[in-house]
């Protein structure tokens, strides 16, 4: 059975590489990596002092940089 899984994995990688290219395959596979930590807690900590005015100012600043 292990050989079957090895073959399936190899064929899957080959199909992804053929269809997406090497970099596209890498980007696709990264979507399925297990992360670490607690995203919700980290996000709340990072954004705890952010106000709606900060967000609005950031949007206005970015729009000004697009020209």
């Amino acid at each position: 059975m292990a050989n079957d899984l090895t073959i399936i994995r190899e064929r899957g990688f080959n199909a992804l590489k053929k269809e997406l290219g090497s970099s596209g395959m890498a980007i696709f596979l990264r979507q399925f990596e297990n992360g670490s930590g607690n995203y919700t807690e980290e996000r709340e900590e990072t954004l705890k002092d952010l106000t709606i005015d900060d967000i609005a100012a950031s949007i206005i600043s970015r729009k000004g940089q697009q020209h």
Side-chain angles (χ1 to χ4, degrees), residues 34-52:
N34 290 332
S36 63
N38 185 323
Y39 172 78
T40 302
E41 287 178 2
E42 291 172 11
R43 182 174 179 273
E44 286 177 1
E45 178 63 27
T46 301
L47 302 177
K48 71 180 178 184
D49 296 324
L50 188 65
T51 67
I52 192 70

Side-chain angles (χ1 to χ4, degrees), residues 2-3 5 9 13 23 47:
N3 285 338
L5 294 176
R9 184 172 39 253
F13 284 140
S23 61
L47 302 177

Side-chain angles (χ1 to χ4, degrees), residues 8-64:
I8 290 170
R9 184 172 39 253
E10 183 178 337
R11 287 182 180 173
F13 284 140
N14 289 338
L16 286 170
K17 185 176 178 182
K18 178 181 177 186
E19 189 65 31
L20 302 174
S22 295
S23 61
M25 179 180 78
I27 291 167
F28 177 79
L29 291 173
R30 264 189 249 129
Q31 295 179 68
F32 302 100
E33 289 181 2
N34 290 332
S36 63
N38 185 323
Y39 172 78
T40 302
E41 287 178 2
E42 291 172 11
R43 182 174 179 273
E44 286 177 1
E45 178 63 27
T46 301
L47 302 177
K48 71 180 178 184
D49 296 324
L50 188 65
T51 67
I52 192 70
D53 292 330
D54 295 331
I55 296 168
S58 176
I59 292 169
I60 291 167
S61 173
R62 287 179 187 213
K63 284 186 176 182

